[in-house]
Amino acid sequence: MTPEEPAGGLLSDVPTRRGPARVRLDPPAGGSRSLLVLGHGAGGDVDAPDLEAVTAAVVPFGVTVARVTQPYRVAGRRAPAPAGHLDEAWVDVVRSLAPAGPLVLGGRSSGARVACRTAAELGAVGVVALAFPTHPPGKPERLRVDELPLDRPTLVVNGDRDPFGVPPVVGMVQLHVVPGADHSLKKAVEPVAGFVLSFLRANGWAT
């Protein structure tokens, strides 16, 4: 079977405690087996190459993908909001989507951190963390590993040249380190998308 490009891309604004967020919804042509909600990096957008590639890879296999633009980006700001504000807006958006099936949270960089921090509160069955920023560049002592969920399947994909580091395997983390890839994962979008699809399929969240 050859996957086709998602035909969706439905945009809508969603009110949150931190201002309006924006959701791009890409549903599969047939029935939906799960909902994958993805967040962007601190200064980026939901059209990042890895998020685009993941969406294109999983939608044909029964996964509805919702890509969430945080309120500060909708307002035109590049400087990220405080972590608590990001989490609040994200929780409001995900709850507004009211998934009928399994909910998988994910994102890249800052978005991956938000997904990890809110997974338990939102009842996510799994997490997809792309380019998880293990520590600030040049500050390996400031680890963020405690944000990774320990009690649910979590896929982490990082490049071995990522200045934000590569997290250790903890809890139920499945780690893939892509040789030659940096924090953007731009040169590794195909393997990244393949890892995500395999992860979803292995857990029964994709056909």
Side-chain angles (χ1 to χ4, degrees), residues 33-46:
R33 193 160 193 144
S34 63
L35 172 64
L36 172 62
V37 188
L38 297 173
H40 55 76
D45 294 295
V46 295

Side-chain angles (χ1 to χ4, degrees), residues 83-185:
H85 294 190
L86 297 175
D87 292 356
E88 287 177 357
W90 174 263
V91 166
D92 289 348
V93 171
V94 175
R95 285 180 172 159
S96 78
L97 296 172
L103 169 67
V104 184
L105 298 180
R108 63 164 285 102
S109 194
S110 171
R113 296 181 64 194
V114 174
C116 288
R117 291 194 301 259
T118 60
E121 178 179 357
L122 289 168
V125 295
V127 176
V128 172
L130 308 179
F132 183 84
T134 308
H135 57 72
K139 298 179 179 179
E141 72 281 1
R142 292 177 54 187
L143 291 176
R144 299 160 174 157
V145 177
D146 61 343
E147 294 182 348
L148 289 167
L150 301 178
D151 57 352
R152 68 205 67 217
T154 300
L155 173 70
V156 178
V157 185
N158 277 58
D160 67 350
R161 296 184 180 180
D162 192 334
F164 289 84
V166 176
V169 175
V170 294
M172 301 175 70
V173 165
Q174 176 183 330
L175 174 66
H176 291 281
V177 181
V178 184
D182 60 15
H183 191 64
S184 72
L185 295 174

